[in-house]
Amino acid sequence: MKRNVAIITGASQGIGRATALRLARDFSSIVLAARNGDALKEVTQAVNQAGAEALPLALDLREPAADKTLVDETLKRFGRIDALVNIAGAVPQIDLMEMTDAQWDDGMALKLHGARRITIHAWNALKEAKGSVVFTSGNSAQAPKSAFAAVATINAAIVALARAFAERGIQDGVQVNSVLPGPVLTNRRKTYMEKYAPTHNMTFDEAMEKFPAQDGISRYGQPEEIADLMAFLVSPQAIWMTGSAVRMDGGEIKGV
Ligand SMILES: NC(=O)c1ccc[n+]([C@@H]2O[C@H](COP(=O)([O-])OP(=O)(O)OC[C@H]3O[C@@H](n4cnc5c(N)ncnc54)[C@H](OP(=O)(O)O)[C@@H]3O)[C@@H](O)[C@H]2O)c1
């Protein structure tokens, strides 16, 4: 039997889009949040075709009021929230020595504070539904590099934040976990490699080929593989999991 209502942020492309399509198999209603309304229209059609009702909400989740709009519109239309999957993220990938305060603030405004505020606004509804939350971190949280310092710092903060919500969730009946993807083939990854290649005397194709081969299973992850993990974490099969940080990175990070 399908569960009821899932909210997915960052649903217009990449891991978020793949998660929306995957959860359409398990949930009857999916709320899709991101800025790009045209892309959300396309995802809405794809979710409908996959058998779920979709509600697209074009919002800039850096804005403090957006989380309230997202939760209020969801409750107005569907009356409950069973799962919240926080995926939206666009932290600038700039060297530690060059990144400005404004760029740090912008990265945190979306990926950390946006996800935190949505989770707080959705909490009572999640509590009523005995629901689940997943935060998207990244494996850089466990292996920070100077070239990815902001991403790594914010990803580590996301893991800590998810654990803090999980601790509250034990008394409130809400499960909270985080996912730490490694290199996944999405537009975000391609944009980064377009910048990386010329600064390392490579063509784009050479950089794309070399990068995932460095330290793990020698290919990029697919968004659908991360989506399957998200689907497991919000499923009844994961009912005893909370406060976990689950890395899925083709074995790239060697630490425990
Ligand atoms: N791809 C990887 O290799 C990788 C690795 C580790 C972790 N991650 C994490 O996984 C998540 C998804 O990454 P991805 O590769 O799928 O990225 P992506 O393809 O760039 O997608 C990012 C999503 O976030 C949304 N978004 C960006 N800014 C937003 C804003 N201000 N308000 C609302 N939505 C916004 C984008 O939609 P709009 O542009 O329409 O707003 C899009 O749907 C991110 O948190 C990323 O840090 C990715």
Side-chain angles (χ1 to χ4, degrees):
M1 200 179 77
K2 280 194 173 189
R3 296 185 80 192
N4 287 299
V5 182
I7 297 178
I8 300 163
T9 74
S12 62
Q13 60 173 8
I15 294 170
R17 181 185 184 280
T19 301
L21 295 189
R22 174 62 189 81
L23 292 196
R25 283 158 45 190
D26 300 342
F27 286 78
S28 48
S29 310
I30 311 278
V31 181
L32 309 163
R35 289 166 303 177
N36 185 334
D38 289 339
L40 285 179
K41 265 188 210 154
E42 184 277 323
V43 184
T44 297
Q45 281 175 356
V47 166
N48 289 339
Q49 275 168 11
E53 185 179 357
L55 171 63
L57 294 173
L59 295 166
D60 185 336
L61 296 173
R62 290 170 299 187
E63 301 294 334
D67 48 298
K68 191 170 178 319
T69 307
L70 174 56
V71 171
D72 290 354
E73 291 296 316
T74 301
L75 291 174
K76 200 160 86 184
R77 173 80 161 262
F78 299 120
R80 57 186 290 150
I81 302 170
D82 298 86
L84 166 62
V85 188
N86 289 306
I87 299 178
V91 183
Q93 304 187 26
I94 298 171
D95 190 87
L96 173 61
M97 302 301 181
E98 287 159 23
M99 199 153 161
T100 64
D101 284 357
Q103 287 165 329
W104 274 93
D105 289 346
D106 189 54
M108 287 194 280
L110 174 64
K111 187 158 177 170
L112 182 63
H113 295 306
R116 176 183 58 79
R117 279 195 304 263
I118 293 163
T119 308
I120 285 172
H121 269 291
W123 196 257
N124 280 341
L126 288 160
K127 201 172 146 181
E128 270 174 37
K130 300 283 171 233
S132 328
V133 182
V134 182
F135 284 86
T136 308
S137 171
N139 73 352
S140 62
Q142 297 178 332
K145 291 186 178 147
S146 61
F148 295 100
V151 185
T153 304
I154 292 167
N155 282 339
I158 295 274
V159 173
L161 183 70
R163 287 230 163 106
F165 274 117
E167 195 263 338
R168 177 60 61 94
I170 289 169
Q171 72 190 46
D172 288 349
V174 181
Q175 291 162 257
V176 187
N177 295 290
S178 58
V179 166
L180 286 73
V184 179
L185 198 51
T186 63
N187 286 342
R188 175 171 172 75
R189 180 63 51 174
K190 287 180 199 158
T191 305
Y192 174 69
M193 296 315 278
E194 274 161 12
K195 284 193 210 146
Y196 176 92
T199 57
H200 290 76
N201 295 321
M202 290 180 210
T203 64
F204 173 76
D205 287 343
E206 284 166 348
M208 287 295 287
E209 206 171 303
K210 177 180 172 245
F211 211 79
Q214 282 175 347
D215 228 357
I217 296 175
S218 59
R219 68 166 174 83
Y220 287 96
Q222 294 300 321
E224 292 74 17
E225 292 173 303
I226 306 296
D228 279 334
L229 177 57
M230 302 292 194
F232 171 70
L233 289 173
V234 297
S235 75
Q237 286 70 38
I239 198 76
W240 203 49
M241 268 181 96
T242 199
S244 294
V246 187
R247 194 170 66 216
M248 190 182 209
D249 69 347
E252 187 181 58
I253 299 290
K254 305 292 185 246
V256 290

